[in-house]
Amino acid sequence: MMSPTARLVVRRLNQRNLATWYENSKDVAAKIVPDFMDMSAQALAPFFTSTKSFATEASFETRPFKLHKLEEGPKTSVTVTRDEALKYYKQMLTIRRIETASGNLYKEKIIRGFCHLYSGQEACAVGMKAAMKPADAIISAYRIHGWTYLMGVPPLGVLAELTGRKSGCARGKGGSMHMYAPHFFGGNGIVGAQVPLGVGVAFASKYRGDDNVCFALYGDGAANQGQIFEVYNMAKLWNVPCIFVCENNGYGMGTSAERAAASTTYYTRGDYVPGLWVDGMDILAVREASRFAIEYCTSGKGPLVMETATYRYSGHSMSDPGTSYRTRDEIQEVRQNRDPIASFKEKIISTDLASADELKAIDAEVKKEVDEATRKAKSDSEIPMEELPADIYAAPLEEEIRNVAPWEPLRHKRIGSAVNLN
């Protein structure tokens, strides 16, 4: 048997994750505690192996959902597995890191033009993506760096697109607002114009009978657009499986929702279209609401309006400091009390789904990946001039593309394969 002193040494070694210390330092061990001389590594193994076991799943209560023309809504009691929790945490953290890197690149004047960050709103995108079926579609406005990553584009593809380099998902020709991926229809720069397109994508699914939906995202600033009300009518008239998502971050550019809208209950704006309000800072609440919405739409009942109450930490775009129409104290209060990543991290640790060290390792992994992608996005080359007119059309009817000077046309060419063609 080991003496109390030997047990104490082994316990301390175990706490410091030094399970290999004994094999490499037998002579030192023997001087400290003679008992070690007669013990093999196999005999010591049980003392070095952590007995900590993590929970396989955990349950939480979300804030109540608000309903419009619905007899029942999503369950407020939600369950998440350990694997799901770690996946969601990593996805939200990656989006936050990508946006931080984007902001820094913009300040360095490596990213030019428009640049709208999603920091603070990560739970909305990750929650919706967690509920989507593989062939469900999504279309959004211009705050879409995070969605591009979630739909399969690696951080390098996002960041290089922002810097206008050839490793970008659109070869550097789309920039911040025009990124695409399978089942992801962008990135659209005209306020509200993506919503009718989203109804068209959903109508195509209904026409084909493939049981898929389209999430059509817009902000509270776009919610007063007339075209949105037009397609509410069309979607309901034909019972199109479209989920209208108003990501209400409280401000349309520099104007608060209260100053811009006579009614800020955006989930009721569809009138005859049922609606649902969800806490957009809670990834699990958004996931459950999205699951409910998908089931509702695919059951033949038609469209649904979902409002996610969220918050953006940055200004409307990088040219907006974001502090002329709200206070720094307001922003800090949300960061401290409602941050989607910090609050989810606390849930994971408090329910023993993972340890703080495990999450710290994920943090380091994400930081390394995004840092490497940032370096590549800065050093990568731009496409050559002759590639500028490439891939404009999937099936061009004319091979010549009009140039700045009409008498010097450019030749259309195919570089990559088109996506989202059926």
Side-chain angles (χ1 to χ4, degrees):
M1 290 185 62
M2 295 181 68
S3 68
T5 305
R7 286 181 178 276
L8 177 62
V9 171
V10 171
R11 191 179 304 118
R12 293 301 176 96
L13 291 174
N14 188 37
Q15 290 173 350
R16 296 174 186 173
N17 297 317
L18 297 175
T20 58
W21 178 82
Y22 172 73
E23 278 298 310
N24 297 332
S25 311
K26 282 184 178 179
D27 54 336
V28 178
K31 292 178 182 178
I32 300 174
V33 183
D35 294 20
F36 283 133
M37 286 300 293
D38 299 324
M39 295 195 71
S40 64
Q42 184 177 5
L44 282 168
F47 295 96
F48 288 114
T49 303
S50 174
T51 58
K52 173 72 173 179
S53 59
F54 294 109
T56 57
E57 65 177 32
S59 297
F60 304 94
E61 283 292 321
T62 70
R63 292 177 62 184
F65 299 95
K66 299 176 185 178
L67 309 179
H68 170 66
K69 290 190 179 298
L70 290 169
E71 293 183 1
E72 61 179 4
K75 298 289 190 295
T76 56
S77 178
V78 297
T79 301
V80 63
T81 68
R82 168 179 155 83
D83 289 343
E84 289 172 341
L86 294 179
K87 177 183 178 181
Y88 303 157
Y89 178 75
K90 183 177 180 180
Q91 287 177 328
M92 288 197 291
L93 196 65
T94 301
I95 295 173
R96 181 70 60 86
R97 285 280 183 188
I98 287 174
E99 297 296 55
T100 300
S102 301
N104 291 335
L105 288 169
Y106 191 93
K107 292 171 184 175
E108 294 174 37
K109 297 185 179 181
I110 296 174
I111 293 176
R112 301 286 184 139
F114 296 103
C115 186
H116 306 80
L117 304 184
Y118 203 64
S119 300
Q121 301 183 210
E122 296 88 354
C124 296
V126 176
M128 281 182 262
K129 183 63 175 69
M132 290 170 64
K133 303 187 299 296
D136 284 336
I138 177 260
I139 188 169
S140 188
Y142 34 72
R143 208 177 297 279
I144 45 86
H145 309 156
W147 267 111
T148 307
Y149 156 71
L150 290 176
M151 295 305 287
V153 176
L156 174 59
V158 177
L159 291 167
E161 188 59 37
L162 286 165
T163 59
R165 311 304 167 94
K166 66 181 182 181
S167 295
C169 59
R171 302 283 289 172
K173 296 192 292 183
S176 174
M177 297 192 290
H178 304 291
M179 301 182 187
Y180 308 91
H183 307 296
F184 176 46
F185 291 81
N188 295 268
I190 305 301
V191 176
Q194 73 278 6
V195 183
L197 299 179
V199 174
V201 173
F203 180 73
S205 292
K206 180 181 175 68
Y207 188 81
R208 293 191 301 265
D210 57 17
D211 200 36
N212 295 318
V213 304
C214 180
F215 284 79
L217 279 58
Y218 56 98
D220 53 285
N224 297 321
Q225 286 273 319
Q227 57 191 323
I228 293 178
F229 292 91
E230 290 184 55
V231 290
Y232 281 164
N233 177 61
M234 295 171 71
K236 184 57 182 174
L237 190 63
W238 299 330
N239 278 338
V240 172
C242 182
I243 302 171
F244 297 96
V245 182
C246 178
E247 292 184 293
N248 180 7
N249 60 26
Y251 298 91
M253 297 188 70
T255 304
S256 67
E258 289 74 14
R259 293 180 59 220
S263 170
T264 57
T265 53
Y266 297 102
Y267 68 101
T268 70
R269 288 283 195 93
D271 188 13
Y272 39 79
V273 179
L276 174 67
W277 179 96
V278 57
D279 179 4
M281 304 300 269
D282 181 347
I283 190 261
L284 299 180
V286 176
R287 185 192 68 175
E288 294 309 303
S290 300
R291 285 176 174 173
F292 175 88
I294 291 172
E295 183 178 349
Y296 180 92
C297 290
T298 54
S299 67
K301 297 177 182 177
L304 189 78
V305 177
M306 184 167 75
E307 176 187 348
T308 60
T310 184
Y311 197 84
R312 59 168 162 81
Y313 295 148
S314 302
H316 171 72
S317 69
M318 284 300 297
S319 61
D320 168 24
T323 54
S324 60
Y325 48 87
R326 58 182 182 175
T327 65
R328 287 185 171 84
D329 289 341
E330 176 186 313
I331 302 169
Q332 190 61 25
E333 190 276 332
V334 176
R335 281 186 179 274
Q336 290 179 348
N337 300 315
R338 295 176 54 207
D339 184 80
I341 300 176
S343 60
F344 191 55
K345 179 179 181 179
E346 184 179 343
K347 288 178 179 177
I348 292 174
I349 295 173
S350 66
T351 53
D352 287 331
L353 286 171
S355 66
D357 286 342
E358 192 170 4
L359 298 185
K360 187 175 181 180
I362 293 175
D363 295 354
E365 178 188 350
V366 169
K367 183 179 185 302
K368 180 180 178 182
E369 181 182 13
V370 175
D371 285 351
E372 289 178 354
T374 302
R375 285 192 289 271
K376 176 69 173 175
K378 293 169 71 173
S379 62
D380 197 18
S381 61
E382 298 178 354
I383 60 172
M385 289 293 291
E386 59 268 20
E387 194 180 319
L388 286 177
D391 296 332
I392 295 175
Y393 301 107
L397 299 178
E398 298 178 355
E399 291 300 320
E400 290 187 346
I401 305 297
R402 177 170 175 155
N403 198 353
V404 176
W407 54 87
E408 295 179 354
L410 302 170
R411 298 286 297 177
H412 186 275
K413 61 193 301 186
R414 168 68 63 215
I415 301 295
S417 58
V419 297
N420 296 323
L421 291 181
N422 295 299

